Amino acid sequence: MQGVLEVPLKNLEFNRSITRRGVDMAEIACLPISSGWYGTLVEENRRLIKVQCYSKKGTVNFYMKPIEGLTVLVDMDRKEVISISDNGLNIPMAKGIDTDYRYSVQKLNGELRLFNPISLEQPEGPSFKIDGNLVKWANWEFHLKPDPRAGIIISQAKVRDPETSELRNVIYKGFTSELFVPYMDPTDGWYFKTYMDAGEYGFGLQAMPLDPLNDCPRNAHYMDGVFASADGTPYVQSNMICVFESYAGDIAWRHSECPITDLKVTEVRPKVTLVVRMAAAVANYDYIVDWEFQTDGLIRAKVGLSGILMVKGTTYDNMNQVPNQEYLYGTLLSENIIGVIHDHYITYYLDMDIDGSDNSFVKVNIKKQETSEGESPRKSYLKAVRNVAKTEKDAQIKLSLYDPSEFHVINPSKKTRLGNPAGYKLVPGATAASLLDHEDPPQKRAAFTNNQIWVTPYNKSEQWAGGLLVYQSQGDDTLEVWSNRDRPIENKDIVLWYTIGFHHIPCQEDYPIMPTVSSSFDLKPVNFFERNPILRVPPNFKEDLPVCKARDST
Amino acid sequence: MQGVLEVPLKNLEFNRSITRRGVDMAEIACLPISSGWYGTLVEENRRLIKVQCYSKKGTVNFYMKPIEGLTVLVDMDRKEVISISDNGLNIPMAKGIDTDYRYSVQKLNGELRLFNPISLEQPEGPSFKIDGNLVKWANWEFHLKPDPRAGIIISQAKVRDPETSELRNVIYKGFTSELFVPYMDPTDGWYFKTYMDAGEYGFGLQAMPLDPLNDCPRNAHYMDGVFASADGTPYVQSNMICVFESYAGDIAWRHSECPITDLKVTEVRPKVTLVVRMAAAVANYDYIVDWEFQTDGLIRAKVGLSGILMVKGTTYDNMNQVPNQEYLYGTLLSENIIGVIHDHYITYYLDMDIDGSDNSFVKVNIKKQETSEGESPRKSYLKAVRNVAKTEKDAQIKLSLYDPSEFHVINPSKKTRLGNPAGYKLVPGATAASLLDHEDPPQKRAAFTNNQIWVTPYNKSEQWAGGLLVYQSQGDDTLEVWSNRDRPIENKDIVLWYTIGFHHIPCQEDYPIMPTVSSSFDLKPVNFFERNPILRVPPNFKEDLPVCKARDST
């Protein structure tokens, strides 16, 4: 992809168009944009890519200075320009004033100090051990692998049962399998922007070295990735992943007795977690991917979105010039700059192994039950109805507040002392559903976002939700295609899939760089332990906490 | 309420029933349970309460030893037993083994040390100032008031605009207006358990003193509540609220350039927030209520649930004895103990004042638009359609993934440089909807949970979502009743209402004390600032961080 960027530079028509816009060829920055697949003749038997450019004059934030309307279609194998679409000549180049987000620049223009330094400190050192790729922390053990496509792969995650001291299997393998980022502008220079970042660009390949005091707290440990470049040469992606203990001042569990019972009890335990993080900068956007392990057995998978918007040039510099806001396809963020509406979907592969490989997926449906005449002063209550999914179609789940369920992965052969099946539940967080037409080509290729939850039987060729070969894929090898085979999934080695979704209507606060927005989901023990597994952990005691000084006072 | 607990003790029938169960009268702990309202004769012109008891033999966690089936109906004014319902004689008392959660007990039985101490440290001290009830931190100023009914009241929250250095109004007044906690068991001893904790018990009155090293981090500041007891005597609820800066290792914004652009840029800013917290222990349950202020202008309201389940005695000690799990009304948690299914709703009153009191509520609906023939290779895209709510019924919102909207409160008279109206959006988190029959008496009294969002014009008598007088209320003074008047709300002083909901099917991990489960929603600036308001904040520098030692090494 990188090599392709030189192709337009040698093209006369391209050079002329750039110059006609008053842009110096030495000041352009171009991006290789995956072209998707739309079933046209030109796409047949060719590897295609589109190139669009920006001006980096006066700012490192060139994304805010698009050369709008100029799109070059390139044959990647032949390194040839196939066609140039050029229709934005009337659109003025945005000025890019105050778009540079580097601290060195702010320092000159007036920095904004809002708070005194604050730090996570562990006087006795971190509590985790990393031996190669094996991470041991508190009651957890798991393998951690940097992967060029997925980014972080967690495998063989096991938690120690405090009753028996045994390590018990929870996840065999978990990772971000695919992303889908469709932009909501059907016009010529934009309709194809429907990125599938893992399969098209490499989510791990884009995970740049972390900033050791800012991407992660000071107590973090770092892990490098070792990847192969396009010509096969190995290279080291240093500090690609960090691992750290986090304490935000939160509470793991608590109870106070109130005066009514005459018992003077206040018992509180602090919540300390282990976070595994990478930050993938897929060109403009930054995805902060966290796996957080809690001592109560919960695993939280979180995605934070930051970085820079993909914006569109426009002739407008004020909303009072806009006849119909719906046809902006976004929000006017600055003079001549529109933040185009888009979605983000991140689909997780979760090969759960609750106490062994053969598991079942149970929908615990929460259903209104009307009482019968004279049964109760109440007219209704909610009951839990358990439905074990027999085949894949039973586990194609669209979430709804009005037909809620819990989603359990259980081991039907492993029961607690009381006879409840040992399980973990998937707890969705705030999310969004893709609303695009199912027959729309991008949605067909990303049909893994048609449901929020899926369950498939393990199959080694079904790990990448959009198919193994995603670039210019046609949607014939997606999670939806596999799942529609409707194979048996009861008491099998099953894979759970969950998609975190965001609708993003940009706002001015996202300009010129976006404050992080996050969403997450949890994998939470449900009758996995006999009882609260952290009942016996101690609280914080004053004498265990560190003694600190400001650096310049030492 | 507290005085009522003595009433059954003098009753012979009650004494006999306790003794018949082999329980020593000296070892019982009783709870005053609000009786709801069901339209029966006995409820007319009486102030009623129900009393149920537990055995505290051998454990402080008496909640796990219910004296099942024994319910005493008491006249609160006359302090008289009206009737006793007694039908659980065949249910054995749970043994309560290992239910005591106090550290002092675990210490004897084998504590579980999972990690080394970790602490939030600020060598130069906290960055906030508290002057009486005025809190100033970073770019925020707000008033903070302990309230007997609501708990925490935030008022006159203002944020400083970095462009103009002016303080701008965001919230006039915000608080948890009411709770609704219906249990899902229609039988005699349980159907009435449908708590409205703020109006029936006092959410603030139940907020016990916080544990200074565990409820909040060591860098916290504490505030007392001064309340009136039933006889009018003032008293101090010490350390009822804490205020602290939090840093979990998270990222406020970031971007790395990838090698493709030849720019060597990695800019990351740490995310530090200010948290205001109380923990209300409404008998068994503990609600951790947080208001979190971010420097990017976002306010997060979060509720954590911990504490102890309300459980039911049963004859079962294993699931293999249970003929139909649906009629357990819950989960077998331990021998002879069922955790009964229930919901939690916490309804927030949010009198927004975006740059002044007159605001409008705008649904920005995200709608699928099909393209016309030949318009685009795409078949569909999503567009944003703005609908300004004219009257209250336009703002009765049921959330759905399949008809998503953003929910903006804007000041129509205040526009950004680019002509976008200044606003904040309500961003729902994971939540649950009440599914009870609307004509069910508890749901009628708690009709404020019939929608997730409402908007009303400000009215000083409409602050408590379940009505001013909630105890034995009949549902004629709820948010739903007010909203159905359908008053104009465009460009008025409006109040936004949002309900956080949880369905809780207990699991064994919740026994004998529950790991915290949380949900939240955000109030987020949307075209309120001209651009990212924290662009100019500095990153962490090593020389600003503290120098720490373990205490015993000093």
Side-chain angles (χ1 to χ4, degrees):
Chain A
M1 284 184 174
Q2 199 157 357
V4 158
L5 294 181
E6 293 158 25
V7 176
L9 304 184
K10 298 172 202 147
N11 180 287
L12 193 63
E13 189 186 340
F14 178 81
N15 273 266
R16 266 198 214 122
S17 182
I18 295 287
T19 312
R20 231 186 312 170
R21 291 163 195 252
V23 176
D24 187 337
M25 281 297 285
E27 286 174 333
I28 67 170
C30 299
L31 295 179
I33 302 177
S34 56
S35 55
W37 174 80
Y38 292 88
T40 59
L41 261 176
V42 72
E43 296 170 278
E44 274 179 34
N45 304 315
R46 279 202 186 92
R47 290 213 296 168
L48 295 175
I49 196 156
K50 290 187 173 177
V51 177
Q52 292 185 333
C53 303
Y54 299 81
S55 163
K56 53 185 176 187
K57 188 174 180 181
T59 180
V60 295
N61 195 346
F62 61 84
Y63 300 103
M64 293 303 133
K65 301 186 73 171
I67 299 171
E68 194 56 48
L70 182 63
T71 306
V72 185
L73 180 64
V74 177
D75 182 312
M76 265 200 274
D77 293 308
R78 297 167 184 262
K79 297 206 171 180
E80 278 176 9
V81 171
I82 295 175
S83 63
I84 296 182
S85 162
D86 188 2
N87 48 32
L89 268 173
N90 62 321
I91 298 173
M93 172 69 65
K95 297 205 173 61
I97 296 168
D98 290 339
T99 56
D100 197 326
Y101 49 87
R102 289 174 300 172
Y103 178 62
S104 54
V105 173
Q106 315 310 318
K107 217 171 161 180
L108 300 173
N109 296 345
E111 59 172 315
L112 193 65
R113 281 201 185 254
L114 291 173
F115 47 81
N116 295 339
I118 182 167
S119 179
L120 283 170
E121 295 293 334
Q122 288 183 290
E124 297 168 31
S127 325
F128 57 84
K129 288 206 177 99
I130 303 184
D131 180 8
N133 292 66
L134 176 65
V135 181
K136 295 184 186 186
W137 174 75
N139 44 355
W140 282 100
E141 287 194 21
F142 58 90
H143 287 225
L144 171 57
K145 183 186 145 188
D147 182 82
R149 183 161 178 170
I152 291 171
I153 295 182
I154 299 289
S155 60
Q156 298 197 49
K158 296 169 190 170
V159 66
R160 198 171 301 279
D161 190 321
E163 312 282 320
T164 61
S165 295
E166 272 175 306
L167 276 174
R168 295 172 60 188
N169 287 311
V170 178
I171 301 181
Y172 180 71
K173 194 173 174 183
F175 57 93
T176 45
S177 172
E178 193 51 273
L179 288 87
F180 177 45
V181 189
Y183 282 74
M184 301 303 174
D185 181 334
T187 62
D188 183 60
W190 280 80
Y191 75 88
F192 53 89
K193 295 182 182 178
T194 57
Y195 305 98
M196 293 162 77
D197 290 311
E200 291 180 341
Y201 293 90
F203 208 35
L205 293 178
Q206 308 299 322
M208 296 295 118
L210 295 162
D211 172 343
L213 286 181
N214 291 289
D215 269 319
C216 316
R218 156 198 238 188
N219 57 337
H221 171 98
Y222 292 84
M223 189 179 274
D224 298 340
V226 181
F227 300 142
S229 58
D231 66 3
T233 320
Y235 70 97
V236 174
Q237 187 68 293
S238 65
N239 290 3
M240 174 189 159
I241 295 174
C242 73
V243 179
F244 62 93
E245 284 166 279
S246 174
Y247 169 60
D250 284 337
I251 297 169
W253 59 257
R254 86 175 310 285
H255 183 60
S256 306
E257 275 300 315
C258 54
I260 222 166
T261 59
D262 262 349
L263 294 164
K264 302 228 176 311
V265 177
T266 298
E267 290 282 335
V268 191
R269 300 297 177 268
K271 181 170 183 167
V272 175
T273 64
L274 187 80
V275 178
V276 176
R277 173 174 296 164
M278 73 160 193
V282 192
N284 55 312
Y285 251 103
D286 292 54
Y287 292 88
I288 302 156
V289 177
D290 283 1
W291 288 83
E292 185 174 17
F293 294 83
Q294 296 188 185
T295 56
D296 62 5
L298 184 145
I299 300 173
R300 175 162 295 174
K302 186 160 98 174
V303 176
L305 305 178
S306 186
I308 299 170
L309 288 173
M310 181 142 278
V311 303
K312 183 177 181 176
T314 175
T315 56
Y316 301 125
D317 57 26
N318 194 288
M319 285 303 293
N320 61 23
Q321 302 155 352
V322 177
N324 184 343
Q325 199 173 341
E326 288 176 26
Y327 295 100
L328 269 191
Y329 309 118
T331 308
L332 194 65
L333 298 182
S334 183
E335 286 77 4
N336 308 115
I337 289 294
I338 293 165
V340 176
I341 298 170
H342 56 282
D343 289 347
H344 296 266
Y345 298 96
I346 304 97
T347 297
Y348 284 77
Y349 172 100
L350 302 160
D351 183 349
M352 304 299 289
D353 266 16
I354 306 299
D355 281 322
S357 64
D358 287 355
N359 288 177
S360 294
F361 178 72
V362 184
K363 280 182 289 185
V364 182
N365 191 218
I366 296 169
K367 246 189 145 54
K368 179 169 80 168
Q369 173 72 50
E370 304 280 346
T371 56
S372 50
E373 188 69 33
E375 179 188 353
S376 170
R378 282 274 284 275
K379 284 196 193 308
S380 62
Y381 63 99
L382 305 188
K383 64 179 185 180
V385 181
R386 296 173 65 88
N387 294 298
V388 179
K390 304 285 179 198
T391 64
E392 289 175 285
K393 286 189 179 174
D394 293 338
Q396 295 180 345
I397 310 281
K398 289 183 168 62
L399 298 174
S400 166
L401 284 188
Y402 313 101
D403 181 24
S405 291
E406 288 192 355
F407 307 102
H408 295 201
V409 175
I410 61 156
N411 186 326
S413 325
K414 183 76 193 293
K415 293 211 156 69
T416 62
R417 184 182 87 244
L418 299 161
N420 292 307
Y424 258 68
K425 63 177 172 180
L426 170 75
V427 186
T431 192
S434 181
L435 302 176
L436 293 178
D437 192 304
H438 282 200
E439 292 306 311
D440 204 351
Q443 189 61 37
K444 228 171 151 165
R445 300 175 63 223
F448 52 88
T449 61
N450 288 352
N451 295 300
Q452 287 83 52
I453 298 174
W454 315 70
V455 178
T456 57
Y458 173 79
N459 179 327
K460 74 173 175 183
S461 67
E462 297 174 5
Q463 298 202 41
W464 306 105
L468 181 63
L469 304 171
V470 166
Y471 204 92
Q472 286 177 276
S473 64
Q474 305 183 12
D476 45 13
D477 184 30
T478 70
L479 172 53
E480 181 177 71
V481 173
W482 314 330
S483 166
N484 279 341
R485 287 184 203 136
D486 207 19
R487 294 162 291 189
I489 53 172
E490 188 180 0
N491 206 4
K492 302 259 180 227
D493 185 4
I494 55 177
V495 178
L496 176 66
W497 304 78
Y498 178 72
T499 298
I500 293 180
F502 299 86
H503 297 300
H504 190 171
I505 304 175
C507 60
Q508 285 183 237
E509 286 80 1
D510 296 336
Y511 177 92
I513 191 163
M514 284 183 295
T516 308
V517 171
S518 299
S519 188
S520 65
F521 67 92
D522 295 340
L523 298 168
K524 187 172 190 290
V526 57
N527 303 313
F528 181 83
F529 295 111
E530 291 291 346
R531 56 187 188 135
N532 181 337
I534 50 169
L535 183 67
R536 292 187 288 130
V537 301
N540 276 334
F541 294 105
K542 199 178 168 193
E543 54 273 23
D544 292 336
L545 297 181
V547 178
C548 299
K549 294 179 196 173
R551 184 166 293 264
D552 54 13
S553 71
T554 58
Chain B
M1 284 184 173
Q2 200 158 351
V4 159
L5 294 181
E6 293 159 23
V7 177
L9 305 183
K10 298 172 203 149
N11 180 287
L12 195 63
E13 188 186 340
F14 177 80
N15 274 267
R16 268 200 212 119
S17 182
I18 295 288
T19 313
R20 234 189 306 170
R21 292 164 195 250
V23 177
D24 187 336
M25 281 296 286
E27 286 175 332
I28 68 170
C30 299
L31 295 179
I33 302 177
S34 56
S35 56
W37 174 79
Y38 293 88
T40 59
L41 260 177
V42 74
E43 296 170 278
E44 274 179 33
N45 303 316
R46 279 203 186 91
R47 289 212 295 167
L48 295 176
I49 196 156
K50 289 187 173 177
V51 177
Q52 292 185 333
C53 303
Y54 299 81
S55 163
K56 52 184 176 186
K57 188 174 181 183
T59 179
V60 295
N61 195 346
F62 60 85
Y63 300 103
M64 294 302 134
K65 300 187 74 170
I67 298 171
E68 193 58 46
L70 182 64
T71 307
V72 186
L73 180 64
V74 176
D75 183 312
M76 264 199 274
D77 293 309
R78 299 166 184 262
K79 296 206 173 184
E80 278 177 9
V81 170
I82 295 175
S83 63
I84 296 182
S85 162
D86 189 2
N87 49 31
L89 269 173
N90 62 321
I91 297 173
M93 172 69 65
K95 296 205 175 60
I97 295 167
D98 290 338
T99 56
D100 197 326
Y101 50 87
R102 289 174 300 171
Y103 178 63
S104 54
V105 173
Q106 316 309 318
K107 216 173 162 178
L108 301 172
N109 296 346
E111 59 173 314
L112 193 65
R113 281 201 184 254
L114 291 173
F115 46 80
N116 295 340
I118 181 167
S119 179
L120 282 169
E121 294 294 334
Q122 289 182 288
E124 299 168 28
S127 326
F128 56 84
K129 288 205 176 96
I130 303 184
D131 179 9
N133 291 68
L134 176 65
V135 181
K136 296 184 185 187
W137 174 76
N139 44 356
W140 282 101
E141 286 194 23
F142 58 89
H143 286 226
L144 171 57
K145 182 187 146 189
D147 182 82
R149 182 161 177 169
I152 290 172
I153 295 182
I154 299 290
S155 60
Q156 298 198 48
K158 296 168 190 171
V159 66
R160 198 171 300 278
D161 190 322
E163 313 281 319
T164 62
S165 296
E166 273 175 303
L167 276 175
R168 294 172 61 189
N169 286 311
V170 179
I171 301 180
Y172 180 71
K173 192 172 176 185
F175 57 92
T176 46
S177 171
E178 193 51 273
L179 287 87
F180 177 46
V181 188
Y183 282 75
M184 301 303 175
D185 181 333
T187 62
D188 183 62
W190 280 80
Y191 74 87
F192 53 90
K193 295 183 182 178
T194 56
Y195 305 99
M196 292 163 77
D197 289 310
E200 290 180 341
Y201 292 90
F203 208 33
L205 293 178
Q206 309 299 322
M208 297 294 119
L210 295 161
D211 172 344
L213 287 180
N214 291 287
D215 269 320
C216 315
R218 161 197 235 188
N219 57 338
H221 172 98
Y222 293 83
M223 188 179 276
D224 298 339
V226 181
F227 300 142
S229 59
D231 65 2
T233 322
Y235 70 97
V236 174
Q237 187 69 294
S238 65
N239 290 2
M240 174 189 158
I241 296 175
C242 72
V243 179
F244 63 92
E245 284 168 280
S246 174
Y247 170 59
D250 284 336
I251 298 169
W253 58 258
R254 85 175 310 284
H255 183 61
S256 306
E257 276 299 314
C258 53
I260 223 165
T261 60
D262 261 351
L263 294 164
K264 303 227 176 314
V265 177
T266 299
E267 290 282 337
V268 191
R269 300 297 177 270
K271 181 170 183 168
V272 175
T273 64
L274 187 80
V275 178
V276 175
R277 173 174 296 165
M278 73 161 193
V282 193
N284 55 313
Y285 251 103
D286 292 54
Y287 292 87
I288 302 156
V289 177
D290 283 2
W291 288 84
E292 186 174 16
F293 294 82
Q294 296 189 184
T295 56
D296 61 5
L298 184 145
I299 299 173
R300 176 163 294 175
K302 187 160 97 174
V303 177
L305 306 178
S306 186
I308 298 170
L309 288 173
M310 181 141 279
V311 302
K312 182 177 182 176
T314 175
T315 55
Y316 302 124
D317 57 26
N318 194 289
M319 285 302 294
N320 61 23
Q321 301 155 353
V322 177
N324 184 344
Q325 199 172 340
E326 288 176 25
Y327 296 100
L328 269 191
Y329 309 118
T331 309
L332 194 65
L333 298 182
S334 182
E335 286 76 5
N336 309 113
I337 288 294
I338 293 166
V340 175
I341 298 170
H342 57 281
D343 289 348
H344 297 267
Y345 298 96
I346 303 98
T347 297
Y348 285 76
Y349 172 100
L350 302 159
D351 182 350
M352 304 299 289
D353 266 16
I354 305 299
D355 280 323
S357 64
D358 286 355
N359 288 177
S360 293
F361 178 72
V362 184
K363 281 183 288 185
V364 183
N365 191 218
I366 297 168
K367 246 190 145 51
K368 179 169 79 168
Q369 172 71 50
E370 305 280 345
T371 56
S372 50
E373 189 70 31
E375 180 188 353
S376 169
R378 282 273 284 276
K379 283 195 195 306
S380 61
Y381 63 96
L382 304 189
K383 65 179 184 180
V385 181
R386 296 173 66 89
N387 294 299
V388 178
K390 304 284 180 199
T391 64
E392 289 175 286
K393 286 191 180 173
D394 293 338
Q396 295 180 346
I397 310 281
K398 288 183 169 59
L399 299 174
S400 165
L401 283 188
Y402 313 103
D403 181 24
S405 291
E406 287 192 356
F407 307 101
H408 295 201
V409 175
I410 61 156
N411 186 326
S413 325
K414 182 77 191 292
K415 292 210 157 70
T416 62
R417 186 182 85 243
L418 299 162
N420 292 307
Y424 258 69
K425 63 178 174 180
L426 170 76
V427 187
T431 192
S434 181
L435 303 176
L436 293 178
D437 192 304
H438 283 201
E439 293 305 312
D440 205 350
Q443 188 62 37
K444 230 172 149 163
R445 299 175 64 225
F448 53 87
T449 61
N450 288 352
N451 295 299
Q452 288 84 51
I453 298 174
W454 316 70
V455 178
T456 56
Y458 172 78
N459 180 328
K460 74 173 176 181
S461 67
E462 298 174 5
Q463 298 203 41
W464 306 105
L468 182 63
L469 304 170
V470 167
Y471 204 91
Q472 287 177 277
S473 64
Q474 304 184 14
D476 46 12
D477 183 30
T478 70
L479 173 53
E480 181 176 70
V481 173
W482 314 330
S483 166
N484 279 342
R485 288 186 201 134
D486 207 20
R487 293 163 291 188
I489 53 172
E490 189 179 0
N491 204 5
K492 302 259 182 230
D493 185 5
I494 54 176
V495 177
L496 176 66
W497 304 78
Y498 179 71
T499 297
I500 293 180
F502 299 84
H503 296 300
H504 190 172
I505 304 174
C507 59
Q508 284 183 239
E509 286 80 1
D510 296 337
Y511 177 93
I513 192 163
M514 283 184 295
T516 308
V517 171
S518 299
S519 188
S520 65
F521 67 92
D522 294 340
L523 298 168
K524 189 173 189 289
V526 57
N527 305 313
F528 180 83
F529 295 111
E530 292 289 347
R531 56 187 187 136
N532 181 336
I534 50 168
L535 184 67
R536 293 186 288 131
V537 302
N540 276 334
F541 295 105
K542 199 177 168 196
E543 54 274 23
D544 292 336
L545 298 181
V547 178
C548 299
K549 294 178 193 173
R551 183 167 292 264
D552 54 12
S553 71
T554 58

